[in-house]
Amino acid sequence: MSDVEFIAATKIYDDGTVALDSLDLAVREGEFLVLLGPSGCGKSTALRLLAGLEDISGGEIRIGGAKVNDLPPGARGLGMVFQSYALYPHMTVRGNLAFGLRRGKGDAEIGAEEIAARVAEAAGLLDLGELLDKKPRELSGGQQQRVAIGRALVRRPKVLLMDEPLSNLDAKLRNRMRFELRRLHEAHGTTTLYVTHDQVEAMTLADRVAILSAGKLQQSAKPLEAYHRPANAFVASFLGTPAMNLIEGVASEGVFSAGELSFALPEHLAGEEGPCIYGIRPEDVRIADLDAGGSRGGGPGSAGVPCRVGGVERLGSDTIYHLDAGGNPIRALWRSAGDGDRGIDDAPGGEVRVRLAVPSALVFRE
Ligand code: ADP
């Protein structure tokens, strides 16, 4: 059963902006679904429509099978966590957690004992036990964010909505909270819809990721499926760091050509014909000079196209080579396999041979 369904959900703002264009998407019970896309693609709008904070312009939204288009936000059974935690500064953590339960209309039946039990449960889940009597100003950013999540969870929402909840935290804390959010989800299992523009958050948190561009759903799939089998060039270029190389050219009789670049297509793409985009991940670009004698499968004698080395970024475990292949910019990622500082030291202007015909390469038509 689906807990949340968007059916041709559309939002057109008063100024004519089409923020969400006929979104069809279902979130299954217990699922952690991440809405991912660049800024302005309509992620928050989708969440706000679901929460009832914006009126829908067309289509339908269902929660637990029931249409909620005209239901006020408070009656939708949702818990929300936003980028800013907005805790009550004069209340303790315990007070902040309990507040929503005391205040809510229709929650009058929740007695003091039940409130205490739910606060204790959330504190246990979120590791807040030691902090219950502290005020928000005495907490770190990560602790405050945990309280904000606790405040949403104590209400036992049918669905938990999170909009960029980690973006106010520094990088280290964000990494830790990401890990904790996933652990938390495994523990409480609440259906979750999570909005982010950060592909790492999406890849690590999601059971399923729904990628949006310009208000339109591009693909919904398990994270690794979207990574390895992107539905189109947009998804391919959005997932992965550095981004997938996309070379616009023409396939003809088993050969791909783009400007002065020309190479035999790999076997699985040999039947492609006509204008297309050739996609290859930076980590799959084989630099023959590095592979010679190495374990990555290039090896002496392997065919390769000549590339000019335009720049080298050494990141420690990874090295990114910026190459020019017959007028096409290409990035190659070389990852140290524990064998120290191997790699080409060519200054910009040097030349290497790379192999672009690999089994993981993809061809896109759009
Ligand atoms: P995201 O969350 O992916 O960054 P949003 O859903 O906030 O994107 O916005 C989607 C599009 O709708 C953007 O072009 C944005 O400028 C526009 N938009 C958002 N809110 C409003 C509004 N209240 N009025 C007009 N346009 C809006």
Side-chain angles (χ1 to χ4, degrees):
M1 150 142 168
S2 295
D3 265 358
V4 171
E5 285 167 276
F6 293 89
I7 302 164
T10 298
K11 177 64 183 179
I12 304 171
Y13 285 107
D14 290 343
D15 64 359
T17 304
V18 182
L20 202 61
D21 190 353
S22 205
L23 174 67
D24 286 311
L25 184 67
V27 190
R28 291 186 278 271
E29 198 176 337
E31 191 174 30
F32 196 125
L33 186 126
V34 174
L35 277 177
L36 172 70
S39 177
C41 72
K43 310 177 294 290
S44 296
T45 297
L47 212 64
R48 292 172 65 80
L49 288 180
L50 174 61
L53 301 173
E54 297 283 355
D55 290 330
I56 194 165
S57 312
E60 205 172 305
I61 291 181
R62 295 186 193 162
I63 298 175
K67 183 174 169 181
V68 298
N69 285 30
D70 302 317
L71 218 55
R76 296 192 182 194
L78 306 170
M80 284 178 256
V81 182
F82 293 106
Q83 183 174 339
S84 67
Y85 342 117
L87 301 177
Y88 297 106
H90 58 286
M91 287 187 193
T92 60
V93 168
R94 189 193 313 280
N96 268 284
L97 289 175
F99 185 75
L101 294 175
R102 293 210 188 90
R103 179 199 53 171
K105 290 189 208 96
D107 285 339
E109 71 278 8
I110 300 182
E113 232 171 83
E114 175 68 10
I115 290 177
R118 290 200 196 180
V119 168
E121 186 191 347
L125 210 52
L126 288 152
D127 210 8
L128 294 170
E130 310 265 293
L131 307 174
L132 283 173
D133 295 317
K134 297 201 174 202
K135 298 269 177 66
R137 66 169 180 278
E138 299 172 85
L139 307 181
S140 70
Q143 290 167 334
Q144 289 186 32
Q145 187 56 295
R146 291 215 299 268
V147 178
I149 295 166
R151 200 172 48 178
L153 283 180
V154 289
R155 296 177 65 86
R156 306 248 166 97
K158 280 198 288 250
V159 182
L160 189 59
L161 309 185
M162 300 203 210
D163 193 348
E164 306 261 5
L166 306 185
S167 50
N168 277 350
L169 306 177
D170 66 45
K172 199 168 156 197
L173 202 51
R174 211 158 49 224
N175 287 348
R176 212 178 75 216
M177 280 302 291
R178 220 171 53 214
F179 184 73
E180 287 193 18
L181 278 179
R182 185 64 222 181
R183 181 188 59 79
L184 187 68
H185 179 70
E186 316 259 321
H188 68 71
T190 304
T191 307
T192 303
L193 199 62
Y194 185 105
V195 160
T196 184
H197 64 276
D198 181 336
Q199 51 155 322
V200 177
E201 267 175 40
M203 295 296 285
T204 51
L205 281 170
D207 292 320
R208 197 152 54 96
V209 53
I211 298 142
L212 290 175
S213 170
K216 288 201 176 76
L217 181 65
Q218 305 295 311
Q219 183 170 15
S220 105
K222 289 183 180 165
L224 285 181
E225 191 182 329
Y227 183 81
H228 291 298
R229 287 192 290 283
N232 55 36
F234 175 83
V235 175
S237 66
F238 197 73
L239 295 179
T241 312
M244 182 183 273
N245 296 293
L246 296 172
I247 310 167
E248 277 185 53
V250 177
S252 173
E253 297 182 1
V255 173
F256 181 80
S257 314
E260 286 163 33
L261 170 67
S262 177
F263 60 92
L265 283 160
E267 214 172 299
H268 68 291
L269 299 174
E272 298 285 343
E273 288 293 331
C276 59
I277 300 169
Y278 188 82
I280 176 168
R281 295 238 173 248
E283 63 266 33
D284 296 334
V285 175
R286 309 283 159 99
I287 299 179
D289 308 44
L290 285 183
D291 283 335
S295 57
R296 284 190 47 183
S302 63
V305 296
C307 290
R308 202 173 52 78
V309 181
V312 181
E313 284 180 85
R314 295 186 186 283
L315 306 174
S317 63
D318 293 348
T319 304
I320 301 168
Y321 296 96
H322 295 264
L323 308 172
D324 179 290
N328 301 280
I330 290 181
R331 286 176 304 270
L333 176 70
W334 184 77
R335 192 152 282 167
S336 161
D339 48 359
D341 189 27
R342 253 178 89 231
I344 46 173
D345 283 319
D346 296 41
E351 207 170 85
V352 290
R353 294 188 81 79
V354 302
R355 200 148 65 95
L356 299 174
V358 296
S360 57
L362 300 165
V363 159
F364 302 102
R365 297 282 166 187
E366 41 164 328

